[in-house]
Amino acid sequence: MSATPDRSAPERPAGRLRTDPDSVERDLAKLVLTVVELLRQLMERQALHRVDKGDLTEEQEERIGMTLMILQRRMEEMCDRHGLRMADLNLDLGPLGTLLSPAGEAPR
């Protein structure tokens, strides 16, 4: 006996943005926060690279560290405001892996 797929509900590809008014704002916030988090991680990697090379004074290192900590805190606040977790921002790119470095893991 062969099973036939349920055709009563339209299929929606996984991971696509929904266009109903209730989810549009959350999905847009998720997209924007994902881009901001990607840039934050890239800035952090660049800062670590410069620290390792010895390009920065102690004062510059301190200022960059504080700035990155504040930005991380603001990202978490924005996620909370929109009902998101930081993990929700990490897009799955299929065979390429995920877009963002997992929290607490050294940048790639």
Side-chain angles (χ1 to χ4, degrees):
M1 185 178 213
S2 67
T4 58
D6 178 16
R7 303 213 189 260
S8 60
E11 290 186 35
R12 187 174 68 81
R16 295 277 177 137
L17 292 176
R18 294 180 298 234
T19 56
D20 58 281
D22 295 335
S23 66
V24 169
E25 182 178 349
R26 183 174 186 268
D27 288 341
L28 181 59
K30 181 178 176 180
L31 178 62
V32 170
L33 289 172
T34 297
V35 171
V36 172
E37 177 61 11
L38 175 63
L39 293 173
R40 188 198 67 77
Q41 287 188 11
L42 292 172
M43 288 177 2
E44 184 176 3
R45 289 176 193 166
Q46 183 64 30
L48 289 173
H49 178 70
R50 290 188 66 194
V51 167
D52 289 343
K53 283 181 60 178
D55 285 353
L56 303 173
T57 66
E58 194 172 309
E59 182 181 317
Q60 289 172 321
E61 288 178 19
E62 184 71 27
R63 193 171 62 233
I64 287 172
M66 287 299 285
T67 300
L68 291 171
M69 285 174 32
I70 291 168
L71 183 54
Q72 174 67 29
R73 203 172 321 125
R74 296 292 185 264
M75 284 295 299
E76 291 168 358
E77 290 170 4
M78 294 295 294
C79 282
D80 286 344
R81 184 177 300 156
H82 293 283
L84 298 166
R85 298 171 299 133
M86 290 297 289
D88 294 333
L89 307 181
N90 200 0
L91 302 177
D92 182 0
L93 302 176
L96 298 176
T98 56
L99 178 65
L100 305 172
S101 297
E105 188 174 294
R108 292 183 241 164

